[in-house]
Amino acid sequence: MNPAKRIASNTLTVFLRSTISAGLSIFSSRWILLSLGQVDYGLYNVVIAIIIFVSSFSNIMASANARFFSVAIGKGDIEEIRQWYSTSRKLHEFLS
């Protein structure tokens, strides 16, 4: 399979997965609301929003760290790699 077909296939797969997930979320929210009630359903949404924010932020941080590590490894500068590792570790400890 050439790269263009592979990219198109992966894009279509991710789009279908997202569409199915969104459809199931919309479909199941009625039963969640009925079982939890209005107040608990609101609290449930707040907790889910916080979890999504934290996981998205964690993914962004991991991607940024990987980019800076890759650039430093490409340069072959061991000291810069150590500095990026130290900085990313401190940031993750502080933010967690």
Side-chain angles (χ1 to χ4, degrees):
M1 182 179 280
N2 66 10
K5 286 184 180 179
R6 191 171 353 137
I7 290 172
S9 172
N10 287 340
T11 302
L12 182 63
T13 303
V14 169
F15 177 73
L16 287 174
R17 184 183 68 182
S18 298
T19 304
I20 291 170
S21 177
L24 288 174
S25 296
I26 291 170
F27 187 70
S28 65
S29 64
R30 176 179 176 222
W31 291 306
I32 294 171
L33 176 60
L34 287 174
S35 65
L36 292 178
Q38 289 181 347
V39 174
D40 289 338
Y41 184 72
L43 183 61
Y44 171 78
N45 283 330
V46 169
V47 170
I48 293 298
I50 291 170
I51 290 171
I52 290 172
F53 172 75
V54 170
S55 66
S56 297
F57 191 72
S58 177
N59 288 337
I60 291 168
M61 290 290 294
S63 297
N65 288 337
R67 186 244 182 232
F68 288 114
F69 287 145
S70 297
V71 169
I73 290 170
K75 289 180 183 177
D77 188 2
I78 300 297
E79 186 58 34
E80 187 177 356
I81 296 170
R82 287 185 182 145
Q83 287 176 343
W84 281 118
Y85 176 78
S86 162
T87 302
S88 67
R89 182 174 173 170
K90 288 176 186 174
L91 275 173
H92 280 282
E93 288 174 356
F94 173 74
L95 294 173
S96 64

